[in-house]
Amino acid sequence: MKIGLYPGSFDPFTSGHLDILLRASHMFDRLYAAVLINISKQPFFTADERILQIEAAAASLNLKNITVGSFSGLLINYAKEINAGFIVRGLRAMTDFEYEIQIDAMNRKLAPEIETVYLMAKPEYSFLSSSVVKEVGYFGGSIEGLVPEVNKNLIAERLIRR
Ligand code: ADP
């Protein structure tokens, strides 16, 4: 069975993330989307909120082979735990590339048997990030199209400055 792992902060889960999830779901028998719990970085959305966002978005596209979870510590250890042979990452600008090339080298050293595959962001999502969503939402701007429709209202309400 071909198992893929799509890790990220997903704070929040955006339309760009969903596009990668959808495209990667066709490449594997089972695809895990995993929320990184980073103890040194304070996220806006709790891990549970982010998991629910991914589950709702996957269900809205009727994706049946997705499992959503969370992990802390080394990505490679989590990949081994769930028997993933592949890690999936999305690539937007050159800055993503520079970051990913370092991580790739380290992961390859730690676990040469696990291959990372990179999917190019669609042009319409190549300037979309979780930070942009947070900034627009905080100041009350419309996040229509920036996050999966099914999560839009919940995310907007959580973000808006009170
Ligand atoms: P991380 O902190 O791991 O980079 P993110 O939540 O920012 O987590 O992103 C998770 C993955 O999704 C990364 O591979 C990132 O490059 C990719 N990604 C983020 N935004 C987009 C987008 N708009 N289109 C395609 N891929 C994206």
Side-chain angles (χ1 to χ4, degrees):
M1 186 155 107
K2 212 178 258 187
I3 300 176
L5 167 60
Y6 179 37
S9 307
F10 304 129
D11 186 39
F13 190 74
T14 70
S15 302
H17 292 137
L18 181 57
D19 182 57
I20 298 288
L21 190 77
L22 168 67
R23 286 156 60 194
S25 74
H26 300 136
M27 299 165 57
F28 303 100
D29 299 307
R30 179 136 300 272
L31 178 62
Y32 284 75
V35 171
L36 167 67
I37 299 174
N38 186 343
I39 39 174
S40 63
K41 217 162 106 182
Q42 187 61 43
F44 186 90
F45 294 93
T46 66
D48 284 346
E49 283 178 305
R50 289 177 277 160
I51 288 171
L52 287 175
Q53 287 171 18
I54 303 172
E55 282 175 346
S60 74
L61 295 188
N62 212 14
L63 304 181
K64 303 250 189 262
N65 62 339
I66 309 289
T67 303
V68 187
S70 64
F71 72 103
S72 55
L74 278 184
L75 173 65
I76 285 300
N77 290 345
Y78 182 67
K80 285 181 182 167
E81 209 176 286
I82 60 168
N83 284 320
F86 302 87
I87 293 167
V88 176
R89 297 286 290 170
L91 284 182
R92 288 161 297 179
M94 288 303 286
T95 43
D96 274 349
F97 182 81
E98 276 178 32
Y99 173 73
E100 295 295 337
I101 204 162
Q102 288 178 40
I103 307 283
D104 191 290
M106 188 47 62
N107 285 343
R108 194 174 295 282
K109 190 168 151 56
L110 295 171
E113 71 282 10
I114 298 178
E115 191 64 53
T116 304
V117 295
Y118 300 90
L119 301 184
M120 294 299 290
K122 277 202 185 151
E124 60 263 45
Y125 298 135
S126 61
F127 295 104
L128 176 57
S129 65
S130 295
S131 316
V132 163
V133 172
K134 279 183 280 203
E135 195 148 326
V136 172
Y138 181 79
F139 293 110
S142 169
I143 56 168
E144 176 86 44
L146 305 185
V147 298
E149 186 60 28
V150 63
N151 296 325
K152 188 184 68 186
N153 292 342
L154 216 66
I155 292 176
E157 276 164 31
R158 270 284 269 116
L159 285 174
I160 191 116
R161 192 174 35 150
R162 304 209 183 262

